[in-house]
Amino acid sequence: FRHGLNKEQLVTESIFQLIAGAETTATSIRSIMLYIITHPRVYARLQAEVDAAVKDGRAEPYPSVVSNATQRQLPYLWACCKEGMRMHPAVTNSSQKKVPPEGDTVMVEGRTVYLPGGTNIGYCVWGLNRDQKIFGADADYYRPERWLHEEDPKKLAQMNQVHEMLFGYGKYQCLGKPIALMEIGKTIFEVR
């Protein structure tokens, strides 16, 4: 309602989010798991982080399920998740939006660019997440440590901004993002 949707639009959007969110979340979980189990070094490090969280009491042992607050505090778990979603985005369409009628000005690679009103703008999720200028020369490789060891705060912020675009951008960002991230983190923690 805050963003101007009427009741019918809200119901339609909510149903769409439930249907779309289930498949995209499942796709993300499958891709993250694939990358973890096919990289023994990553698997061992993730298992060690999860075991330490249980051992020191931050997470309850089986059969309890890790809390959202706890799983969000595990940096290697989230590096594995972000890297898996980066390597295999669940949504790969061009995420098109229309420029407002009055036009807009944006920054593209440090240059100011005017976009005429009514223009369709899109971005390639797959291409952005494999961009070597953003993710390094090894952008085509699964390496969760890139999220933990980046020393340049501006570069890390750019990496995070690109990751955020997996869920759309601005007021049209995926409404189910918090739920999807909770489900992804809990699943990866518990399945390990």
Side-chain angles (χ1 to χ4, degrees):
F1 287 121
R2 282 193 326 253
H3 297 290
L5 297 177
N6 63 36
K7 184 177 179 181
E8 182 180 321
Q9 292 168 324
L10 185 60
V11 169
T12 301
E13 182 70 17
S14 298
I15 291 170
F16 175 74
Q17 292 300 325
L18 290 173
I19 294 168
E23 182 55 34
T24 53
T25 301
T27 298
S28 293
I29 290 169
R30 285 191 303 267
S31 64
I32 294 164
M33 289 301 298
L34 174 67
Y35 283 106
I36 290 170
I37 64 175
T38 58
H39 291 79
R41 173 192 59 78
V42 171
Y43 180 84
R45 183 168 174 187
L46 176 60
Q47 186 67 58
E49 182 178 69
V50 168
D51 288 347
V54 172
K55 185 176 181 180
D56 68 20
R58 288 179 289 153
E60 294 289 323
Y62 179 82
S64 294
V65 176
V66 67
S67 72
N68 189 42
T70 297
Q71 58 98 5
R72 296 294 289 172
Q73 298 302 313
L74 301 175
Y76 198 70
L77 170 73
W78 279 100
C80 290
C81 292
K82 288 169 95 171
E83 188 71 350
M85 288 185 278
R86 182 188 75 79
M87 291 296 296
H88 191 97
V91 177
T92 59
N93 62 6
S94 64
S95 302
Q96 292 190 10
K97 301 292 182 231
K98 189 172 281 203
V99 176
E102 65 276 9
D104 201 358
T105 303
V106 297
M107 294 295 289
V108 178
E109 295 184 348
R111 292 186 352 249
T112 302
V113 176
Y114 173 74
L115 303 172
T119 304
N120 285 321
I121 301 293
Y123 57 92
C124 175
V125 174
W126 193 275
L128 276 173
N129 282 281
R130 297 297 178 102
D131 190 331
Q132 292 183 0
K133 289 185 283 185
I134 298 170
F135 293 101
D138 65 347
D140 288 330
Y141 298 96
Y142 179 79
R143 188 174 59 83
E145 291 78 12
R146 82 178 70 246
W147 297 96
L148 303 173
H149 301 307
E150 179 53 57
E151 295 178 5
D152 181 351
K154 288 183 181 178
K155 180 154 176 116
L156 183 59
Q158 184 181 38
M159 290 166 55
N160 280 310
Q161 286 174 331
V162 169
H163 180 265
E164 289 286 317
M165 292 178 76
L166 292 170
F167 296 92
Y169 187 74
K171 73 179 189 178
Y172 298 107
Q173 186 176 50
C174 173
L175 295 174
K177 177 184 167 189
I179 294 169
L181 292 176
M182 178 185 66
E183 291 172 340
I184 289 167
K186 285 180 174 238
T187 300
I188 301 304
F189 182 97
E190 296 299 337
V191 172
R192 72 212 189 279

